[in-house]
Amino acid sequence: MCGIVGYIGKRQAYDVLIKGLKRLEYRGYDSAGIALLSDNNLNVYKTKGKVSDLEAFAQGKDIGGTMGIAHTRWATHGEPNQVNAHPHYSQSERIALIHNGIIENYSELKEGLLMHGFTFQSQTDTEVLVQLIEYVKNEHAVDLATAVQLALNEVVGAYAIAVIDLDNPDVIVAARKGSPLIIGIGDDEYFLASDATPIVEYTNKVIYLDEEEIASLDLINGLHVKTISNVEKTPQIKQLEMTISQLEKSGYPHFMLKEIFEQPRTLTDCMRGRVNISENNISIAGIIDHKDKFLNAKRIIISACGTSWHAGLIGKYVIEEFTRIPVEVEYSSEFRYRNPVIDRDDVVMVISQSGETADTLAAAQLAKSKGAFLFGICNVVGSSIARTTHAGCYTHVGPEIGVASTKAFTAQVTVLTMIALVLGKEKGTISEEMYLSILKEMSRIPEKIISILKQDNLIAELSKIFTYAQHFIYLGRGFNYPVALEGALKLKEISYIHAEGYPAAEMKHGPIALISQEMPVVVIAPMGGVVYDKVVSNIQEVKARKGKIIAVVSENDRTVREMADHVITIPETDECLYPILTSIPLQLLAYHIAVIKGCDVDQPRNLAKSVTVE
Ligand code: F6R
């Protein structure tokens, strides 16, 4: 959480930084701030609220300068107000710092600094760090980079920081541990940011800073990277693959809607070079290259958070179905702290859109340390999780900016399904006929999504009926049980309506007590498979208690159509592929209800896109 951006070069820093903050706003939007260095002045402007509030606040003020740093905050320590906003000044107001992460030993450090006469304005852990850097710099009479390095040796916690100093006006010092940081290299200019989105329009040459590395972005001496133990490193320059058009709304009112509508293309991209219909083959390099690890695995453990965890649960259903390899699905936040049993014959799969989720990263590191083979499914290329794993595959859906995950989810499910089919074929646990039939169906998924998206207006109309609701229940079974969980999560996170997802048959073990004529119940009931008839019975149970049924059904369905109050149809497909289709109307339903309720769909309250704190 929190977005950080920095610039040093020949452009006006303010413009670069504000634009960069807008791109990073999905990471946090409680408060925003900027520090600009020019003509021996270090100006800091900050305010509660969004980047647009910061722009209004900075109007008429001195915003000149060709170097600066800026921050958009998701509050951890201290309420989101102006004082706690970043950047933070040091005591002398000669150093300013921005930070993404948590300094765990901040109160201990603060006590020491108080004894040396430092005073504090804010309740943040970050202010402690900037004061510590100033203290070390003066005490040891060292330059800024050395002061940062020495200070970070005292710090326990996670950070991506950027620091500027009136005494070192040609350099930005940046460092990371546990939070992401990317440096962009232009002609006589440098950029830094939490992800590549603020950088892509200026340069495609980037360096992904590694754990415990410190970079000096120095206009006179060039770029230097060292570790916090003071070992010089040679930075590896990588090419960015992102394009600027991927970062714009392209006429859609919200990124979320754009991303929902992008899914026919993103899933085509995700399957490109993997699902080969002319050769009747599915291939994933990261799996094929390490197939022995998978084929000899006693079990696969999937670790993820939130929506990615829901994708993992679908992964369990498909991988077990087609490979007969047992799969366990873990919440990363639990897995990392409960001393799990992991051994060398296990394959641990981590799933993360951002590739930066702190709990999933820690789960990955834990699994690796115990000798498991670690496989990643990430969207963001070069992200921390992608770089931690032994092997992996990218989902290739482009930047996902809406805080509620949509296109990344369907791609994660697609990748997991492809993995199940590749392994099933290698193991001989799937029949040739079944393999070919699913392969063919997979290639049709994009066109089937196009037909679902045509019902957008119908779903928007339907949504108007349900804005009264305080609660929703989502029911599904088999492959579609995790879709019920995901549908409920989408609704609650963007519309603030309480929603719960259940395996449909679990209703009668408690939740059925909640059903009344006020309660909308979304039932995911596509035809096919052994559970369809069972879901029909579960719908009867809800109807008998006057619940309002919104059913997601196959186009040819007659039975559920007659029972439901409202129906959304999806084209037929293979049973294991339904989650990719059934999740789309639920994304649209959540989106439209939230829009009608006037909620901030792309930046829902209290949330941030990339959860880099635990
Ligand atoms: C919900 C959502 C979150 C994320 C979760 C994990 O719409 O986006 O639940 O899925 O924070 O994030 P990643 O996938 O980046 O690890």
Side-chain angles (χ1 to χ4, degrees):
M1 351 275 275
C2 299
I4 71 176
V5 57
Y7 175 75
I8 182 165
K10 47 197 181 298
R11 304 170 199 259
Q12 281 302 303
Y14 179 83
D15 301 332
V16 178
L17 296 174
I18 290 291
K19 209 166 186 182
L21 281 187
K22 286 185 178 161
R23 295 251 161 84
L24 292 175
E25 207 164 21
Y26 72 87
R27 299 177 65 90
Y29 30 82
D30 293 338
S31 59
I34 192 165
L36 298 160
L37 198 149
S38 78
D39 302 333
N40 216 22
N41 284 317
L42 178 54
N43 294 316
V44 171
Y45 307 117
K46 51 192 193 174
T47 182
K48 182 173 158 55
K50 297 197 172 194
V51 179
S52 51
D53 298 304
L54 175 64
E55 281 180 288
F57 182 75
Q59 239 177 25
K61 301 197 168 64
D62 175 8
I63 53 166
T66 54
M67 79 181 268
I69 53 179
H71 187 271
T72 177
R73 179 168 186 247
W74 186 85
T76 54
H77 291 67
E79 67 173 278
N81 57 25
Q82 185 182 30
V83 177
N84 290 333
H86 300 210
H88 287 282
Y89 270 133
S90 64
Q91 180 106 326
S92 67
E93 299 195 352
R94 297 187 68 78
I95 302 178
L97 177 146
I98 50 174
H99 169 218
N100 167 26
I102 294 179
I103 311 293
E104 286 168 18
N105 60 337
Y106 83 103
S107 48
E108 199 180 306
L109 295 170
K110 190 171 183 177
E111 266 173 44
L113 289 163
L114 285 167
M115 284 188 332
H116 286 101
F118 282 81
T119 54
F120 293 84
Q121 314 295 319
S122 75
Q123 290 111 42
T124 63
D125 51 340
T126 304
E127 194 185 4
V128 174
L129 182 54
V130 69
Q131 304 281 38
L132 181 66
I133 291 169
E134 178 156 286
Y135 170 73
V136 170
K137 182 169 169 258
N138 294 339
E139 192 66 14
H140 296 272
V142 288
D143 66 7
L144 181 65
T146 311
V148 170
Q149 182 231 325
L150 295 174
L152 289 178
N153 275 289
E154 306 293 315
V155 164
V156 178
Y159 50 79
I161 57 166
V163 198
I164 54 176
D165 172 19
L166 269 177
D167 298 334
N168 292 263
D170 298 309
V171 60
I172 298 179
V173 177
R176 75 157 278 187
K177 182 183 174 194
S179 300
L181 202 50
I182 299 176
I183 293 165
I185 304 171
D187 293 334
D188 300 321
E189 61 183 350
Y190 297 106
F191 305 81
L192 69 87
S194 301
D195 71 25
T197 57
I199 297 175
V200 60
E201 97 182 66
Y202 307 103
T203 176
N204 62 2
K205 283 194 275 176
V206 295
I207 290 164
Y208 297 95
L209 213 58
D210 262 327
E211 286 294 273
E212 305 202 352
E213 282 184 350
I214 301 174
S216 297
L217 285 53
D218 190 325
L219 279 186
I220 295 166
N221 300 309
L223 176 74
H224 288 277
V225 178
K226 61 181 177 180
T227 66
I228 66 164
S229 332
N230 207 19
V231 177
E232 288 289 327
K233 298 290 288 281
T234 308
Q236 303 288 316
I237 300 176
K238 302 256 160 69
Q239 293 284 318
L240 268 185
E241 282 171 17
M242 197 180 277
T243 61
I244 197 78
S245 62
Q246 292 175 315
L247 306 177
E248 278 153 10
K249 284 190 200 151
S250 315
Y252 286 92
H254 298 98
F255 280 110
M256 183 179 175
L257 191 63
K258 176 189 172 216
E259 287 160 6
I260 292 172
F261 271 81
E262 274 175 350
Q263 289 175 106
R265 186 185 53 72
T266 55
L267 293 186
T268 304
D269 290 346
C270 177
M271 289 189 271
R272 181 168 295 121
R274 294 169 171 168
V275 173
N276 189 330
I277 200 78
S278 56
E279 289 178 13
N280 280 337
N281 192 37
I282 302 180
S283 180
I284 295 196
I287 298 285
I288 297 295
D289 293 349
H290 303 276
K291 69 177 179 204
D292 291 346
K293 295 275 181 203
F294 285 90
L295 299 180
N296 297 326
K298 285 210 197 94
R299 61 179 176 161
I300 294 172
I301 302 170
I302 295 179
S303 180
C305 302
T307 289
S308 297
W309 186 88
H310 296 153
L313 203 51
I314 298 171
K316 173 184 167 73
Y317 279 67
V318 278
I319 294 171
E320 289 192 344
E321 174 76 23
F322 297 130
T323 72
R324 312 313 299 154
I325 302 170
V327 181
E328 291 167 22
V329 188
E330 299 269 358
Y331 288 111
S332 301
S333 53
E334 289 298 312
F335 184 68
R336 64 179 289 196
Y337 281 120
R338 68 169 177 78
N339 193 16
V341 179
I342 309 171
D343 71 44
R344 298 187 157 268
D345 296 330
D346 290 330
V347 168
V348 175
M349 263 191 200
V350 282
I351 308 175
S352 175
Q353 185 285 128
S354 62
E356 300 295 345
T357 298
D359 284 324
T360 304
L361 179 58
Q365 287 159 342
L366 176 72
K368 205 174 179 185
S369 73
K370 301 236 180 192
F373 180 71
L374 185 62
F375 189 88
I377 300 174
C378 294
N379 188 39
V380 178
V381 177
S383 54
S384 301
I385 294 172
R387 285 183 297 135
T388 303
T389 50
H390 295 116
C393 69
Y394 287 113
T395 44
H396 291 311
V397 301
E400 189 180 64
I401 294 169
V403 164
S405 187
T406 52
K407 62 177 179 174
F409 171 75
T410 47
Q412 289 165 343
V413 176
T414 303
V415 165
L416 287 157
T417 309
M418 289 191 283
I419 290 174
L421 293 169
V422 170
L423 292 175
K425 189 178 179 199
E426 290 289 337
K427 258 192 107 187
T429 42
I430 182 170
S431 70
E432 177 80 1
E433 192 191 350
M434 172 83 83
Y435 177 87
L436 292 177
S437 141
I438 300 174
L439 164 71
K440 210 160 150 198
E441 270 304 302
M442 283 194 91
S443 68
R444 291 181 182 147
I445 286 287
E447 79 201 45
K448 293 191 177 185
I449 295 180
I450 293 174
S451 81
I452 297 172
L453 293 171
K454 287 189 181 139
Q455 293 175 80
D456 183 43
N457 285 341
L458 179 148
I459 297 171
E461 282 304 310
L462 179 62
S463 303
K464 288 182 190 158
I465 303 172
F466 290 101
T467 43
Y468 74 87
Q470 307 264 320
H471 310 275
F472 260 74
I473 287 180
Y474 286 70
L475 301 177
R477 286 185 84 151
F479 294 106
N480 287 297
Y481 150 53
V483 177
L485 301 182
E486 175 58 9
L489 176 62
K490 285 294 85 97
L491 185 72
K492 62 189 148 195
E493 70 181 323
I494 59 168
S495 75
Y496 318 139
I497 294 173
H498 171 237
E500 298 287 346
Y502 293 102
E506 277 296 300
M507 276 286 289
K508 52 188 166 300
H509 300 289
I512 200 160
L514 296 169
I515 305 292
S516 71
Q517 59 188 13
E518 303 290 295
M519 180 68 89
V521 181
V522 179
V523 187
I524 304 133
M527 275 160 57
V530 287
V531 291
Y532 175 75
D533 290 342
K534 310 283 172 203
V535 179
V536 171
S537 310
N538 300 139
I539 294 174
Q540 299 280 21
E541 290 156 14
V542 175
K543 282 297 290 176
R545 284 142 189 101
K546 299 195 167 37
K548 293 275 168 291
I549 305 277
I550 305 160
V552 177
V553 300
S554 315
E555 275 163 358
N556 294 331
D557 182 283
R558 292 284 161 267
T559 317
V560 176
R561 198 183 283 268
E562 275 170 18
M563 293 157 61
D565 297 282
H566 307 277
V567 160
I568 306 169
T569 57
I570 52 160
E572 276 173 43
T573 188
D574 188 274
E575 194 188 359
C576 74
L577 299 177
Y578 270 126
I580 306 173
L581 300 185
T582 53
S583 53
I584 311 272
L586 304 191
Q587 295 169 351
L588 286 170
L589 185 70
Y591 171 79
H592 286 296
I593 291 178
V595 169
I596 296 164
K597 289 191 76 189
C599 300
D600 191 343
V601 170
D602 281 336
Q603 296 178 345
R605 70 184 180 206
N606 305 339
L607 287 174
K609 182 82 182 151
S610 188
V611 186
T612 55
V613 295
E614 55 174 292

